[in-house]
Amino acid sequence: MQLDAILSSYSFSAVFYGTAILFFIVFVSLLIKKPSPFLKKILFISILCVVTSVTIFLAGSTIYLNVVSFSRGPVHYHADFEIWNCGWEIDLKDPKGISNKIGTATLHEHNDKRIHLEGVVVDSKSASLGRFFEVIGGHINQTSLSIPTNNGELSLKSDYMCENGEIKMLQVFVYKVKNGIYYQNKVDDPKNYIIAPETNLPPGDCIIIEFDSFKNKTDKLCRSYKVAESIGKIKGEINGN
């Protein structure tokens, strides 16, 4: 379990038990019809100690997490992604519930093909592609991919055979922006790839994951990049896609 999850669990416990103790103190005070001044003082001090202790713990754990974290405080990063299998785009399972997300409070997706990293980043791996797939219930490495879909888990591996009989392999490409020009790189180790610390897209990453014949570049491009290019915000690299 990560440090942020551990501290979150402890914080919840502190609030829960602190509230329970406060209710108990209040209940006891109501049972005593005419408490003595000394007893009133004891009850007041008890309430003050509980409230102060819980407040100090919550504040202290928050400050500690921010100090020791990789991001040195809360962040809000985004990266778009697309997953292609034998020429067909694959969607993650639809999120359910009020939160409308799959993953964790810090790292998740909202049925928008976008990685959301919101909160304190404990270590660099917390911002990795591998961690993202892990928290949504899948995995990715150099040769295989597993993702949750509306039809159940989809697992693919390099040397995968498409319906037309062609052999495909897992490949990952990342688009970035520099000086208004977008370009792409092929990622050799997708599991440990760290998304760019960007809020807006672009210049945040556009990640293309596909099972296809071996190639050095992809012809796929995230919608956010297409829109930005159409309005003249960015341009494709010379001799690019």
Side-chain angles (χ1 to χ4, degrees):
M1 185 179 292
Q2 287 188 277
L3 180 61
D4 57 341
I6 294 174
L7 290 179
S8 177
S9 176
Y10 286 161
S11 297
F12 176 82
S13 296
V15 173
F16 176 81
Y17 289 113
T19 302
I21 293 172
L22 287 176
F23 274 113
F24 177 76
I25 295 173
V26 172
F27 177 73
V28 170
S29 65
L30 292 175
L31 290 178
I32 303 173
K33 301 300 182 180
K34 296 181 179 180
S36 64
F38 176 75
L39 183 57
K40 287 182 179 180
K41 185 176 181 180
I42 293 298
L43 292 173
F44 174 77
I45 293 176
S46 298
I47 293 174
L48 183 63
C49 288
V50 172
V51 172
T52 302
S53 298
V54 172
T55 301
I56 291 176
F57 178 81
L58 294 177
S61 61
T62 300
I63 294 172
Y64 174 75
L65 183 61
N66 283 298
V67 170
V68 302
S69 67
F70 174 77
S71 61
R72 292 294 188 270
V75 299
H76 199 159
Y77 300 153
H78 294 122
D80 279 353
F81 68 92
E82 292 182 358
I83 302 173
W84 293 82
N85 177 29
C86 298
W88 296 91
E89 189 172 7
I90 306 297
D91 290 329
L92 299 180
K93 71 176 182 180
D94 297 332
K96 297 179 180 180
I98 299 176
S99 64
N100 189 36
K101 63 174 177 284
I102 58 173
T104 66
T106 303
L107 189 60
H108 53 266
E109 190 255 7
H110 289 290
N111 197 28
D112 54 2
K113 302 177 186 177
R114 178 166 293 180
I115 297 172
H116 297 255
L117 180 58
E118 304 169 3
V120 178
V121 182
V122 177
D123 52 50
S124 60
K125 289 185 178 180
S126 298
S128 69
L129 199 58
R131 181 63 58 81
F132 170 70
F133 280 101
E134 178 184 324
V135 300
I136 66 172
H139 82 268
I140 188 172
N141 56 35
Q142 293 173 310
T143 59
S144 65
L145 171 72
S146 175
I147 58 172
T149 72
N150 290 332
N151 297 318
E153 182 181 359
L154 175 64
S155 296
L156 302 169
K157 294 182 179 181
S158 289
D159 297 330
Y160 174 80
M161 182 177 291
C162 298
E163 292 182 357
N164 61 7
E166 293 184 5
I167 302 297
K168 306 297 183 181
M169 62 183 300
L170 173 64
Q171 298 168 94
V172 178
F173 305 88
V174 177
Y175 286 92
K176 293 180 174 294
V177 176
K178 183 177 182 179
N179 299 325
I181 306 296
Y182 70 84
Y183 61 96
Q184 62 171 287
N185 290 320
K186 194 170 185 177
V187 178
D188 295 326
D189 185 13
K191 179 179 179 179
N192 293 310
Y193 177 76
I194 307 299
I195 66 171
E198 299 285 352
T199 299
N200 298 320
L201 283 149
D205 292 342
C206 161
I207 303 170
I208 304 296
I209 303 167
E210 60 180 327
F211 279 85
D212 204 345
S213 303
F214 179 83
K215 53 189 174 183
N216 293 317
K217 290 194 174 184
T218 180
D219 59 352
K220 308 296 190 296
L221 184 65
C222 298
R223 182 176 181 275
S224 57
Y225 272 62
K226 291 179 181 178
V227 172
E229 184 176 28
S230 69
I231 62 177
K233 184 178 179 180
I234 58 174
K235 296 181 180 179
E237 62 181 338
I238 299 176
N239 298 323
N241 295 298

